[in-house]
Amino acid sequence: MVVSARGKKTDELISLAAEITGQPRPREMDMLLSTGEQESVALMAMAVHELGEEAISLTGAQIGVRTDGSHTKARIISISTQRIKDALDAGQIVIAAGFQGVDENFDITTLGRGGSDTTAAALAAALDAEMCEIYTDVEGVFTTDPRVVSSAAKIEQVSYDEMLELASLGAGVMHSRSIEFAKKYRVSLRVKPSYVDGPGTLISSQPAHPTPMVTGVAFVRSEARVSLIGIPDHPGVMNRIFSLLSDSRIPVDMVVQNVGVAGTANVSFTVAEDDLGKALSVAATATGDLGGTVQHDGNLSKVSVVGHGMQTHTGVAAQMFRVLADNSVNIHIVTTSEIKISVLIDQNLCDLAVNAVHEGFQLTQQLNQTPRVGVPSEPPKTLALKDTSELEADIVSQLSGMEEIVVSDIYSDIDQARVTITHLDDIPGVAADVFSAVADGGVLVDMIIQNVALDGKANISFTVPPDDLAKTIELLKSPLKKHPAAQVSCDEKIGKISVVGIGLRSHTDVGARMFRALGDSGINVQMVNTSEIKVSIVVAADQTAAALNALRTSFRMTQNPDPQLSGSRSPTV
């Protein structure tokens, strides 16, 4: 078993440090905080001894958890399991300290938030375990936070990809790093209550069957937005921005770039409010080099719906936007993936929005029923998430570190067209009107991007199958009657490139590597969309092949697919 520090112990240790200094050195904080788990494992071993069984407590160093030297947020490089196996062979129950390891100098390191879950998942992977059970103070994974929505229901089964999105989006039961380990090494997780017998929630490679349209609603209560306005719309610009962010080790959440106008573009990204100061410094440096201005806003929240089922139903976005509009919740930014739709809203409306969306998708009733909302449709292959488990297994076997990023696929899709609507009034209901009209016409939308509004006007871009482009333009005429200043433009053929993998958001250099490769190849990025497991960009159709090759070379992938194949997806290793 892996144990954490006792309740409130970590807070107590942090308070002790604060009595001495306002700026403790990270190395000494690791030395201090690691004693919480050391206390727990010793007491747990004593308790097991009192029950008449043999047990041994082991610290991270004694387990053999080797990490890098990033104090307070170290990553696991390797685990030597020999001592654990020897103890097990001797009939001992092994009680391991979570949250900690040692670097190459044998200095104690801690793993940061969710560190004990991460240790447990990593040990399960290293020991080739069939299952890792996480005992916690809740019954399992819920459709949303029960403290916010009293009718939230426990989910019986959820896929790694869904849980990665939910974990990164604020579902606090599990940290995304532990899910990354489980997905990477094919370890099933089961989240169970510690205070009563119960089945909990199974987290595995497969989504629940039958698959609900929406599995859960997640939220991040405290987000800040940074926007770079009027920066040059040419190759290399995104590289400069994300290289600076990577060098500053700032984890970026939502990234949105809409289509440029008159040679300039606007890029927005969100960060934790605690990182806003550092992010603004980076943005000021970038605009000093490139031109443009910086805008920012705090007191924002991100609300998201997640579910594999939305791949096969039109109207999911329209339903979400309509629910928000009916509750007078205005949307600042929109990003999407195949299994997630995220919106950025005012923080004071977060609880209202979460409750409304949860009720709007009838999640309490839906889990064991056929989806009630949306129009079933046959998904085009551009929307189907490919099973890359065998490819990931091959890549994982070659990793130099257990938490190293895994890019399992990079693929192109030229079977898409773009629609952009500019000069929309920035009021609740705009996105709902637009996407309700499109959904009612049976058109399946892929990417949706809405950047921050300027001067009271919002711009929305989305992609549809080329055969549906003319139909989509016609469908938009009705909702746009309310917006006489609105203008619609389109591109009959675009190139979409997607980078798929594990750890894309938790590794701050992924965006920098992507945009550096594209900039060095002279390829301009027209649109950007992000999620926990994928980063997608849009480029000119005639630059698709070059962009694909540049990214595959950057991430050391060998085989080059034929980008002329519609919705091309290729083997990677």
Side-chain angles (χ1 to χ4, degrees):
M1 71 174 72
V2 176
V3 299
S4 303
R6 291 187 296 119
K8 308 297 184 183
K9 183 66 179 181
T10 301
D11 291 341
E12 175 191 327
L13 294 171
I14 292 173
S15 296
L16 286 174
E19 291 179 12
I20 297 173
T21 174
Q23 294 181 313
R25 295 183 181 181
R27 181 189 181 279
E28 305 311 325
M29 283 302 294
D30 278 356
M31 183 72 78
L32 176 65
L33 295 182
S34 64
T35 63
E37 279 70 26
Q38 186 170 333
E39 176 189 77
S40 288
V41 291
L43 292 172
M44 183 66 78
M46 294 175 191
V48 173
H49 296 158
E50 284 298 299
L51 296 172
E53 301 292 340
E54 285 300 313
I56 183 172
S57 61
L58 298 175
T59 65
Q62 291 169 327
I63 298 167
V65 178
R66 189 166 71 86
T67 74
D68 62 21
S70 301
H71 286 288
T72 73
K73 51 185 176 183
R75 291 187 177 275
I76 297 173
I77 295 173
S78 64
I79 297 178
S80 173
T81 58
Q82 190 58 52
R83 183 162 186 184
I84 290 177
K85 290 178 178 178
D86 289 345
L88 292 172
D89 289 342
Q92 295 175 313
I93 295 171
V94 176
I95 303 171
F99 183 63
Q100 61 180 253
V102 291
D103 65 13
E104 62 181 358
N105 297 318
F106 293 96
D107 285 336
I108 295 174
T109 57
T110 63
L111 306 182
R113 181 171 170 256
S116 292
D117 288 349
T118 300
T119 301
L123 277 174
L127 293 166
D128 197 25
E130 293 180 6
M131 177 77 70
C132 175
E133 295 182 345
I134 307 289
Y135 289 85
T136 183
D137 58 355
V138 295
E139 293 180 35
V141 179
F142 280 71
T143 50
T144 195
D145 189 338
R147 293 169 297 184
V148 174
V149 180
S150 59
S151 61
K154 184 173 70 68
I155 302 169
E156 299 300 322
Q157 183 173 342
V158 63
S159 71
Y160 295 134
D161 289 343
E162 288 172 313
M163 195 63 219
L164 272 170
E165 296 286 11
L166 289 168
S168 69
L169 297 169
V173 176
M174 297 286 292
H175 192 269
S176 57
R177 284 170 67 187
S178 58
I179 312 300
E180 288 175 4
F181 265 113
K183 176 176 168 62
K184 198 181 293 185
Y185 294 95
R186 303 188 194 184
V187 176
S188 293
L189 300 174
R190 189 173 286 278
V191 182
K192 304 180 73 172
S194 58
Y195 51 87
V196 66
D197 283 339
T201 299
L202 176 65
I203 305 170
S204 64
S205 59
Q206 299 298 319
H209 183 77
T211 305
M213 184 176 62
V214 170
T215 300
V217 180
F219 60 94
V220 180
R221 194 176 296 279
S222 298
E223 290 257 293
R225 171 191 56 82
V226 178
S227 297
L228 284 71
I229 307 298
I231 58 176
D233 184 25
H234 61 63
V237 171
M238 293 295 283
N239 171 33
R240 178 58 177 157
I241 296 168
F242 279 84
S243 293
L244 289 168
L245 289 168
S246 177
D247 292 344
S248 300
R249 301 270 180 172
I250 301 173
V252 174
D253 190 359
M254 304 171 81
V255 180
V256 182
Q257 179 185 339
N258 211 329
V259 178
V261 178
T264 64
N266 304 326
V267 176
S268 295
F269 58 88
T270 63
V271 296
E273 282 203 305
D274 291 345
D275 289 328
L276 178 58
K278 291 192 296 182
L280 287 175
S281 177
V282 166
T285 300
T287 52
D289 295 341
L290 302 168
T293 59
V294 178
Q295 293 185 1
H296 73 279
D297 196 4
N299 299 315
L300 299 170
S301 294
K302 180 174 66 170
V303 176
S304 308
V305 293
V306 176
H308 274 289
M310 64 178 67
Q311 294 180 90
T312 55
H313 286 77
T314 62
V316 180
Q319 174 74 9
M320 182 179 186
F321 300 155
R322 177 61 61 199
V323 167
L324 294 173
D326 289 346
N327 286 272
S328 301
V329 177
N330 197 31
I331 298 169
H332 300 303
I333 286 177
V334 178
T335 63
T336 64
S337 75
E338 285 91 339
I339 64 170
K340 180 206 72 174
I341 301 168
S342 293
V343 298
L344 194 69
I345 63 172
D346 291 337
Q347 188 179 92
N348 64 324
L349 299 175
C350 181
D351 286 5
L352 169 66
V354 171
N355 275 274
V357 171
H358 191 276
E359 175 61 27
F361 283 101
Q362 301 174 314
L363 290 186
T364 303
Q365 300 89 359
Q366 182 178 284
L367 287 178
N368 296 313
Q369 299 176 7
T370 303
R372 295 171 180 240
V373 186
V375 181
S377 59
E378 192 66 29
K381 59 185 173 181
T382 57
L383 294 187
L385 287 177
K386 188 173 69 174
D387 182 5
T388 57
S389 56
E390 291 187 10
L391 298 168
E392 287 167 354
D394 290 339
I395 299 170
V396 166
S397 67
Q398 304 169 31
L399 295 183
S400 59
M402 291 186 75
E403 285 197 86
E404 191 174 340
I405 184 176
V406 171
V407 173
S408 57
D409 203 6
I410 302 177
Y411 62 87
S412 63
D413 177 6
I414 58 171
D415 194 18
Q416 295 213 38
R418 172 190 57 80
V419 178
T420 297
I421 311 171
T422 59
H423 300 93
L424 287 162
D425 295 322
D426 184 32
I427 56 176
V430 173
D433 290 343
V434 167
F435 290 101
S436 292
V438 174
D440 290 344
V443 176
L444 193 63
V445 175
D446 185 5
M447 293 176 71
I448 300 175
I449 294 175
Q450 178 180 336
N451 207 337
V452 63
L454 298 175
D455 300 322
K457 298 296 182 181
N459 299 337
I460 297 175
S461 291
F462 58 96
T463 63
V464 297
D467 292 345
D468 288 332
L469 179 58
K471 179 180 180 181
T472 302
I473 300 298
E474 187 66 26
L475 290 168
L476 290 173
K477 289 182 178 179
S478 176
L480 294 185
K481 289 178 180 177
K482 301 178 183 178
H483 306 273
Q487 299 177 6
V488 179
S489 63
C490 63
D491 194 336
E492 295 180 358
K493 196 172 185 180
I494 59 172
K496 175 184 171 185
I497 312 289
S498 296
V499 177
V500 183
I502 306 171
L504 298 188
R505 194 168 73 86
S506 58
H507 288 71
T508 57
D509 65 334
V510 173
R513 288 175 65 181
M514 284 184 61
F515 296 123
R516 185 181 306 117
L518 296 169
D520 290 347
S521 299
I523 297 167
N524 194 35
V525 178
Q526 297 180 359
M527 297 164 62
V528 180
N529 214 359
T530 59
S531 78
E532 182 71 16
I533 57 177
K534 179 186 291 188
V535 179
S536 294
I537 60 165
V538 167
V539 299
D542 60 3
Q543 291 189 313
T544 307
L548 184 62
N549 288 331
L551 290 176
R552 294 178 69 84
T553 300
S554 177
F555 287 98
R556 299 187 181 93
M557 293 186 163
T558 53
Q559 295 183 9
N560 293 320
D562 180 0
Q564 299 308 312
L565 295 177
S566 174
S568 173
R569 294 188 178 214
S570 66
T572 49
V573 179

